[in-house]
Amino acid sequence: GIFMFEKKAAEMVRVNTRISKTLNDWLDEQSHKTGVPKSTFIFLALEQYKQQHDAMLSLETMNTMLKKLNELEKKIEEK
């Protein structure tokens, strides 16, 4: 959440990248409407993407564990 942003503020690094003019225009508009810097929108979007990615990895791990548990249950029932 927002606390992660505050905690990691001292660890920030600059990243340069290219984006489409359309996306840049949209960011300019959002920044102007909200008073939030474009870099903050980009940071938050990347944070959200990372959280979703990490959640998907966790789900895959849990799915693998569930399959193994089901296999063990079947072996126990066969005995």
Side-chain angles (χ1 to χ4, degrees), residues 11-17 39:
E11 301 172 24
M12 294 287 191
V13 297
R14 178 173 295 278
V15 176
N16 294 320
T17 188
S39 60

Side-chain angles (χ1 to χ4, degrees), residues 13-71:
V13 297
R14 178 173 295 278
V15 176
N16 294 320
T17 188
R18 294 185 181 273
I19 59 173
S20 68
K21 180 176 181 343
T22 302
L23 186 55
N24 188 60
D25 291 345
W26 181 85
L27 281 170
D28 283 339
E29 181 182 330
Q30 295 305 308
S31 180
H32 180 73
K33 283 181 183 178
T34 63
V36 175
K38 292 192 306 187
S39 60
T40 300
F41 278 112
I42 295 166
F43 170 80
L44 292 173
L46 286 171
E47 279 287 322
Q48 184 178 27
Y49 176 82
K50 182 184 180 307
Q51 288 173 1
Q52 290 172 355
H53 180 265
D54 292 349
M56 290 303 294
L57 290 177
S58 294
L59 286 175
E60 289 174 16
T61 300
M62 286 190 291
N63 189 37
T64 300
M65 290 171 54
L66 183 60
K67 286 180 184 179
K68 288 180 180 182
L69 283 172
N70 286 334
E71 290 171 7

Side-chain angles (χ1 to χ4, degrees), residues 65-79:
M65 290 171 54
L66 183 60
K67 286 180 184 179
K68 288 180 180 182
L69 283 172
N70 286 334
E71 290 171 7
L72 284 172
E73 185 178 35
K74 286 180 185 178
K75 287 180 181 180
I76 290 171
E77 289 174 355
E78 290 173 358
K79 290 184 178 186

